[in-house]
Amino acid sequence: MATVEVKNLEGATVKELELSDAIFAAKPNQSLLWEATKSYLAGLRRGTHSTKSRGEVSGGGKKPWRQKGTGRARVGSIRSSLWRHGSIAHGPKPHDYTTKINEKMLLGALRSALAVKFQERKLTVIDQFNLSAASTKTFAGALRKLELGSKVLVVDDVANRNLELSSRNIRGCDLMRHHTVHPYHVLSHESLLISEGALARIAERLR
């Protein structure tokens, strides 16, 4: 069975935790990870881009010159997309980019994302985030002791005001609750720092 060391904020190993092989020892499904990532990033797009069609460009109600006899090409309107200040042919219009992914696929992608971090030794489990007071300096020091790299996703299973205040001003550090973690969040960070309680609740959800 897969195992991982549980550490404290001082970087010392407290105990060893057994993990589910079905989640952390399984081969990551790259297809599911791609679908989940694509769906998440598509949902972030505002889709407010817009260009003017021929019917929206001002002017052009009169034919610029007569059809024949001038020696110039035939033109019906200065609104043509061939003209400067004219319309845009087949340009983008506001629309929703959201794509749906069912829950089974999303959970499978999260399972694969956790497996990737564990197999790359980028998963660090901590017993609890017991910060006595809000201190960015203290928490930044704890991250250095744990050797987590420059971009860290911190996941906890309970509301922790001291942790929130201590982590929000650290560059590259993002804090999330266990029920809001998306596969993209896990993959887009170099390391994953998760509390033992949060890991247990996520693992229970993925069974």
Side-chain angles (χ1 to χ4, degrees):
M1 180 174 282
T3 59
V4 65
E5 293 180 344
V6 179
K7 300 184 177 183
N8 57 23
L9 287 178
E10 296 299 321
T13 301
V14 177
K15 61 180 179 179
E16 199 170 71
L17 181 67
E18 292 186 349
L19 302 175
S20 171
D21 286 342
I23 300 174
F24 296 93
K27 181 180 179 181
N29 189 321
Q30 300 296 334
S31 178
L32 281 180
L33 291 174
W34 161 247
E35 290 295 336
T37 299
K38 181 176 69 172
S39 176
Y40 181 83
L41 293 178
L44 296 180
R45 299 187 67 174
R46 296 179 64 184
T48 56
H49 43 41
S50 182
T51 54
K52 290 183 178 181
S53 64
R54 289 185 66 139
E56 296 169 322
V57 178
S58 61
K62 179 183 177 183
K63 186 175 175 67
W65 50 78
R66 67 178 190 267
Q67 183 81 344
K68 296 178 178 292
T70 65
R72 289 181 286 186
R74 294 170 292 184
V75 176
S77 172
I78 62 173
R79 294 177 179 175
S80 170
S81 57
L82 301 176
W83 281 48
R84 183 169 175 262
H85 301 307
S87 63
I88 301 298
H90 310 296
K93 287 292 183 181
H95 70 278
D96 185 13
Y97 281 96
T98 302
T99 58
K100 292 184 178 181
I101 178 172
N102 64 50
E103 186 175 1
K104 186 176 181 180
M105 292 177 64
L106 187 61
L107 293 179
L110 182 57
R111 190 180 295 111
S112 292
L114 292 174
V116 168
K117 289 303 178 188
F118 173 74
Q119 293 168 20
E120 291 181 350
R121 299 185 182 277
K122 297 294 185 179
L123 171 66
T124 302
V125 182
I126 197 164
D127 54 353
Q128 56 182 335
F129 294 101
N130 51 347
L131 298 170
S132 58
S135 172
T136 300
K137 182 178 180 180
T138 300
F139 190 64
L143 295 180
R144 285 194 296 272
K145 291 177 183 177
L146 293 168
E147 300 178 349
L148 298 176
S150 59
K151 198 169 185 183
V152 185
L153 177 64
V154 181
V155 182
D156 201 4
D157 61 326
V158 294
N160 189 330
R161 184 60 175 169
N162 286 340
L163 177 61
E164 179 184 345
L165 295 175
S166 300
S167 63
R168 66 182 182 179
N169 287 328
I170 299 177
R171 185 186 297 273
C173 179
D174 295 309
L175 172 64
M176 303 192 74
R177 291 283 296 280
H178 68 281
H179 59 277
T180 62
V181 176
H182 189 278
Y184 175 78
H185 299 143
V186 178
L187 295 175
S188 61
H189 290 78
E190 182 181 351
S191 302
L192 173 61
L193 176 62
I194 186 170
S195 68
E196 186 178 354
L199 184 61
R201 297 185 70 169
I202 291 177
E204 182 179 354
R205 181 186 172 200
L206 296 177
R207 286 175 185 168

